[in-house]
Amino acid sequence: MIKDTKCEIITVGTELLLGQIVDTNSAWISEVLANSGINVYYKQTVGDNYDRLYSVFEKAQARSNIVVVTGGLGPTDDDLTKDVAAEIFKTQLEIHVPSMDKIQAYYDTRHQVMTENNRKQALGFKGGIVFDNEVGMAPGLFYEYDGTWWFFLPGVPREMKWLVSEKVIPFMKQKGILTEQLFSKVLSFQGIGESSLETKLQDLIRSQSNPTIAPLAGNGYVTLRLTAKASNKVESEELFQPVEQQIMERVGEFFTGYGHVPLELQLMQLCQEKGLTVSSCESLTGGLFASTIVQQEGASAILKGSFVSYTNETKANVVGVPQSILSEHGAVSEPCAKAMAEQTRLKMNTDVSISFTGIAGNQPVDGQEAGTVFIAISSNKGLEVHKMVFSGDRNAIRERSTQEGFKYLISYLKKFY
């Protein structure tokens, strides 16, 4: 009986190493096994070469107690998986009669002559178990050798997935090694970078084993994925609770919810809940803020419109920014950002308006260093502005500015409404 599972996945095929076929099998198998409580420790890909296959199988036998192999079970000369494994196991290959009958019947019903090499697909390990493949020709195989469980599956994804779902997982359950499952909970944070969040939680991340804590950075947000191994959901929640409490004590001020809800969707939900309308005036971002909102269904309920005021002429003649502000302070300035937000709110007749002005290029403008961004928010509750300096190319700065705009606007609405 295997108690502490240490699983390894091996994908076989020279075409995988040449990049002619993308290995999706190992990713899919990893996810299924992880969700079933099986710890996947290693992955290997090896070409159709006897000596290299032998070396890879030998290493897997020495360090893992469950090995899942896909590929190399076909009828051709370079399908060597079973031959190499039989030598490792010190056993023989023998024809599995039901599999042979199935292959023969396939050719008989099509009035075709079966070539001799197709008999190779019906070979199994003497003393092993054969899993019937109902969606393909080559069966799946199981063999236990020196305490390690070996599963051999076809490389064709559809056949592999069927065998894992219908044969391998039920076999593991029957043998009693899938008594626990993996449960996950995702906590989302904004206003704190991945490195800062990780630093504040470093001791928790390092010391936790069940549940584990994994930080993941997104575009303007950070998530923590808590993963617990438990026999049921209630037990997993009992494991999550004390860890989540410790996390909230340290970084709870940045917590925005469970799972990740995009900032634009959070803004829409907040505005709909409070009956608010929004407009924007965008220089630096060039309409990215508004276009991000309109990707969401129901955007017209909150967004009235947007000015893309990329030049000073447009800022003055269309938006209504006083020429004196542009002359004295320049377009990349706090006064200009405030005027853009205020004038847009009045012209669009919205409850709140946000403006973006800054430098996406790599040269200073109006006495401001490259990467400088001003974001202003206007409503009848008050006017506020935020200055920041970003690094990166122009599109990275535009995207970061847009995400920061969502973050500041959400915070503003929660504070005043």
Side-chain angles (χ1 to χ4, degrees), residues 10-14 16-17 44-49 52-53 56-57:
I10 301 172
T11 52
V12 179
T14 301
L16 298 171
L17 295 174
Q44 297 191 76
T45 298
V46 60
D48 302 301
N49 176 277
R52 289 194 286 274
L53 271 167
V56 165
F57 285 5

Side-chain angles (χ1 to χ4, degrees), residues 351-411:
D351 296 299
V352 63
S353 185
I354 186 170
S355 70
F356 301 83
T357 184
I359 308 166
N362 55 14
Q363 298 296 323
V365 174
D366 295 335
Q368 302 284 356
E369 63 179 304
T372 298
V373 175
F374 290 93
I375 299 174
I377 299 172
S378 169
S379 80
N380 60 10
K381 304 289 186 180
L383 187 63
E384 67 177 41
V385 65
H386 303 272
K387 177 183 178 181
M388 56 221 74
V389 179
F390 298 132
S391 59
D393 61 31
R394 62 186 300 108
N395 284 328
I397 292 172
R398 291 175 61 235
E399 290 173 3
R400 182 71 187 278
S401 299
T402 299
Q403 291 299 311
E404 290 297 306
F406 280 118
K407 183 187 73 176
Y408 286 127
L409 186 51
I410 290 168
S411 176

Side-chain angles (χ1 to χ4, degrees), residues 25-45:
N25 282 357
S26 61
W28 187 88
I29 295 170
S30 292
E31 183 176 5
V32 170
L33 293 178
N35 289 337
S36 300
I38 299 293
N39 301 308
V40 178
Y41 280 52
Y42 309 103
K43 290 182 184 179
Q44 297 191 76
T45 298

Side-chain angles (χ1 to χ4, degrees), residues 35-100:
N35 289 337
S36 300
I38 299 293
N39 301 308
V40 178
Y41 280 52
Y42 309 103
K43 290 182 184 179
Q44 297 191 76
T45 298
V46 60
D48 302 301
N49 176 277
Y50 196 99
D51 291 338
R52 289 194 286 274
L53 271 167
Y54 192 97
S55 175
V56 165
F57 285 5
E58 195 173 42
K59 180 181 289 186
Q61 173 65 40
R63 67 186 182 183
S64 302
N65 52 24
I66 296 177
V67 183
V68 181
V69 183
T70 69
L73 304 184
T76 62
D77 289 341
D78 63 351
D79 289 311
L80 302 168
T81 295
K82 287 186 283 191
D83 301 277
V84 174
E87 184 174 346
I88 294 273
F89 303 155
K90 300 179 178 62
T91 190
Q92 296 177 338
L93 293 171
E94 59 184 14
I95 291 292
H96 180 250
V97 176
S99 295
M100 188 68 254

Side-chain angles (χ1 to χ4, degrees), residues 146-195:
D146 197 19
T148 298
W149 288 12
W150 287 78
F151 295 90
F152 297 88
L153 307 170
V156 179
R158 184 173 73 96
E159 297 181 30
M160 176 277 296
K161 290 178 181 180
W162 187 89
L163 281 163
V164 169
S165 300
E166 301 299 324
K167 299 294 183 177
V168 174
I169 296 300
F171 178 83
M172 290 181 172
K173 288 181 178 177
Q174 180 187 350
K175 296 296 182 179
I177 67 169
L178 297 186
T179 57
E180 294 182 311
Q181 303 177 56
L182 290 187
F183 296 87
S184 292
K185 174 181 282 190
V186 176
L187 283 62
S188 188
F189 301 85
Q190 284 149 1
I192 184 172
E194 182 185 19
S195 58

Side-chain angles (χ1 to χ4, degrees), residues 111-380:
H111 306 291
Q112 298 175 358
V113 177
M114 184 188 74
T115 56
E116 185 62 24
N117 63 354
N118 276 286
R119 295 175 60 86
K120 187 175 180 181
Q121 295 184 93
L123 290 172
F125 302 109
K126 185 176 182 179
I129 295 174
V130 177
F131 299 127
D132 181 34
N133 179 1
E134 294 184 12
V135 295
M137 196 78 74
L141 304 174
F142 169 80
Y143 195 85
E144 182 177 357
Y145 177 68
D146 197 19
T148 298
W149 288 12
W150 287 78
F151 295 90
F152 297 88
L153 307 170
V156 179
R158 184 173 73 96
E159 297 181 30
M160 176 277 296
K161 290 178 181 180
W162 187 89
L163 281 163
V164 169
S165 300
E166 301 299 324
K167 299 294 183 177
V168 174
I169 296 300
F171 178 83
M172 290 181 172
K173 288 181 178 177
Q174 180 187 350
K175 296 296 182 179
I177 67 169
L178 297 186
T179 57
E180 294 182 311
Q181 303 177 56
L182 290 187
F183 296 87
S184 292
K185 174 181 282 190
V186 176
L187 283 62
S188 188
F189 301 85
Q190 284 149 1
I192 184 172
E194 182 185 19
S195 58
S196 296
L197 183 136
E198 190 169 346
T199 298
K200 292 177 181 294
L201 303 175
Q202 195 172 67
D203 60 316
L204 295 180
I205 295 172
R206 288 179 176 175
S207 64
Q208 291 298 326
S209 58
N210 191 28
T212 58
I213 305 172
L216 176 66
N219 188 9
Y221 65 93
V222 183
T223 60
L224 288 176
R225 187 183 69 247
L226 308 185
T227 304
K229 183 180 287 189
S231 57
N232 54 61
K233 187 170 180 60
V234 172
E235 183 181 320
S236 73
E237 287 297 329
E238 292 174 354
L239 292 169
F240 287 140
Q241 197 277 329
V243 177
E244 188 175 337
Q245 183 176 339
Q246 288 179 293
I247 291 171
M248 292 304 180
E249 288 172 355
R250 302 187 190 189
V251 293
E253 62 185 296
F254 304 104
F255 176 70
T256 58
Y258 296 101
H260 175 63
V261 179
L263 289 170
E264 62 271 20
L265 187 54
Q266 289 186 43
L267 176 64
M268 284 183 56
Q269 292 170 344
L270 191 59
C271 287
Q272 289 170 346
E273 175 189 324
K274 298 180 181 298
L276 301 173
T277 55
V278 174
S279 57
S280 64
C281 186
E282 306 184 55
S283 178
L284 163 85
T285 48
L288 186 58
F289 176 87
S291 67
T292 301
I293 292 179
V294 299
Q295 290 177 27
Q296 297 291 335
E297 187 74 27
S300 60
I302 72 153
L303 181 69
K304 278 198 173 183
S306 176
F307 290 126
V308 179
S309 56
Y310 210 64
T311 65
N312 284 3
E313 181 181 10
T314 303
K315 289 180 179 69
N317 297 339
V318 177
V319 180
V321 176
Q323 185 63 54
S324 58
I325 288 179
L326 295 171
S327 300
E328 183 178 350
H329 303 281
V332 183
S333 66
E334 179 176 324
C336 182
K338 288 181 176 179
M340 288 167 63
E342 185 74 4
Q343 289 298 315
T344 299
R345 179 173 67 87
L346 297 174
K347 290 180 183 295
M348 295 278 187
N349 190 29
T350 56
D351 296 299
V352 63
S353 185
I354 186 170
S355 70
F356 301 83
T357 184
I359 308 166
N362 55 14
Q363 298 296 323
V365 174
D366 295 335
Q368 302 284 356
E369 63 179 304
T372 298
V373 175
F374 290 93
I375 299 174
I377 299 172
S378 169
S379 80
N380 60 10

